[in-house]
Amino acid sequence: MISATSVDRHPKTGVIRLRRRNPARLWLNGVLAVLAFMTVWGIVTIETGSVPFGEAVLDTFLYLGIMFTQPMPTASHFGVPEGFWNVAGAAGYVLLVTLALAFLTTLIGGFVALVFGLLAAQNLTNTRVSNTIKGIVAVIRAVPTVLWVLIFAIGAGLRSVAAVIGMSFHTVGYLIKAYSESFEELDQGTIEALRASGANWLQIVFQAVLPSSVTYLVSWTFIRFEINFAVAVAMGAAAGAGGIGFNLFMSAGYFFDIREIGFITYLILFVAMAMESFATRLKARFLEASA
C-alpha cells in the first residue's frame, strides 16, 4: 500500500497528503524517458561521414535562412522563357493542377461519404449496418493515403489516375467517420417527432438531419480539402501526379535549388492560408443563414 502512494506535505499548512500513483502516468513517464534516451543516443552516435556535425547543423540553418529570405524561381525549371509573368503563369498553372486534384478527390469522397455517413449514423439506421460500415472505414483510415495510391498504381500506373483513386478512397473513409458522428450528435427528439408524425427515412434526412448539420459538413469537408491539398503536393513528388509537388521534388532532388524551394514553399503556404480564410468566411455565412 505504501509503494502505491506518495507522501506530500503542503508547504504552507503542513498538511500531509497521500497521493495514489497512477499506473498510466508511470507508463507515460517511462515511455517519454525511453524516447528521450533514444533521441540523445541517436544524436551522439550519428554517423556524419567526413562532415563535422556542428558544421552540418550550421549549414542547415544557413540554407533555411536562404530558402525563406531569398526565394527565387528559375524560369528554365518551369519550362518557360525568362520573365516574371512567364514564371508566375507557369507557377500558377502547376499550383492550379494541385488544387484541382485536391478538389476532385474531396468532391468524390464527400459525395460517397455523405451517403454512407447517413447509413453509418446509429440514430438513422440499425446497429448492425452502422457497425459494419464503421469497421470497414476504420480499416481504410488505418492505411496511409500514400499506400493506397501505390496499391492502385499497380493497375493504373504511377500517374494522376492512381493519385485520384487512392486519395478519394482515403477521403471516403475519413469523411464517413466525420459525417456519421455529426449526424449522431443531432437532437434525437426532433428525429423521433418526425417518425411519430409518419415521416419516412428520406424526409427525416432532408428535413431535419442535413439542414441541422450543414455547418458541420462544411467544416469537415474543408478540413479534408486542406488535407487533400497537402497530400496532392506529396503525390506530385511520390506518384508522379504532377502539379506543384513535382516541381518541388525536382528542385530539391535534381536541381538542388534552395531558392526555388523557398519560392514553392511560400506558394503552398499562401494557398493554405487562403483556403483557411475562405473556409472560415463560408462557415460564418452558413451560421448566419441558419440563425
Side-chain angles (χ1 to χ4, degrees):
M1 193 69 176
I2 297 177
S3 61
T5 59
S6 61
V7 180
D8 183 22
R9 182 184 295 272
H10 196 276
K12 294 183 178 180
T13 61
V15 177
I16 298 177
R17 295 175 296 182
L18 296 178
R19 294 183 178 179
R20 186 179 299 275
R21 295 180 181 178
N22 190 348
R25 182 176 294 275
L26 293 177
W27 276 102
L28 178 61
N29 293 336
V31 171
L32 292 177
V34 171
L35 292 177
F37 173 77
M38 294 175 61
T39 302
V40 175
W41 180 260
I43 294 175
V44 172
T45 59
I46 189 172
E47 295 183 4
T48 59
S50 60
V51 180
F53 180 76
E55 181 180 346
V57 174
L58 293 177
D59 288 344
T60 300
F61 285 104
L62 175 63
Y63 292 144
L64 287 175
I66 295 174
M67 184 176 72
F68 288 108
T69 59
Q70 303 176 25
M72 183 64 64
T74 305
S76 60
H77 295 171
F78 282 89
V80 295
E82 291 290 344
F84 173 78
W85 292 111
N86 293 329
V87 178
Y93 172 75
V94 294
L95 193 60
L96 186 62
V97 171
T98 303
L99 281 170
L101 179 59
F103 177 78
L104 179 61
T105 53
T106 305
L107 182 64
I108 297 173
F111 177 78
V112 177
L114 181 60
V115 176
F116 285 95
L118 291 169
L119 297 176
Q122 293 184 356
N123 56 345
L124 298 175
T125 185
N126 59 67
T127 305
R128 179 176 298 178
V129 174
S130 175
N131 292 337
T132 301
I133 296 176
K134 288 182 178 179
I136 294 174
V137 298
V139 175
I140 296 176
R141 291 196 312 272
V143 179
T145 308
V146 178
L147 188 54
W148 280 122
V149 173
L150 295 178
I151 291 173
F152 289 110
I154 298 175
L158 281 174
R159 308 297 293 177
S160 57
V161 176
V164 170
I165 299 175
M167 291 173 60
S168 300
F169 204 66
H170 197 275
T171 300
V172 168
Y174 181 93
L175 290 180
I176 285 178
K177 176 179 174 58
Y179 289 171
S180 62
E181 291 182 351
S182 299
F183 298 148
E184 290 172 351
E185 292 178 358
L186 298 178
D187 184 14
Q188 187 65 22
T190 303
I191 298 176
E192 293 296 336
L194 288 173
R195 287 174 178 170
S197 63
N200 57 34
W201 189 81
L202 288 178
Q203 291 174 334
I204 293 174
V205 168
F206 285 102
Q207 296 181 13
V209 176
L210 294 182
S212 301
S213 58
V214 62
T215 55
Y216 298 101
L217 300 181
V218 171
S219 298
W220 282 114
T221 303
F222 267 95
I223 289 174
R224 186 62 207 191
F225 178 57
E226 294 174 1
I227 295 174
N228 282 347
F229 174 73
V231 174
V233 174
M235 291 302 98
I244 198 68
F246 180 75
N247 292 87
L248 181 62
F249 171 73
M250 295 295 292
S251 299
Y254 286 87
F255 302 130
F256 302 105
D257 193 336
I258 195 70
R259 291 179 174 85
E260 190 169 88
I261 296 174
F263 172 75
I264 296 174
T265 302
Y266 276 119
L267 281 180
I268 296 173
L269 290 175
F270 172 77
V271 173
M273 294 172 62
M275 289 192 301
E276 180 67 25
S277 177
F278 178 77
T280 302
R281 293 182 179 181
L282 186 63
K283 183 180 178 180
R285 289 187 178 183
F286 273 106
L287 289 174
E288 291 177 358
S290 60

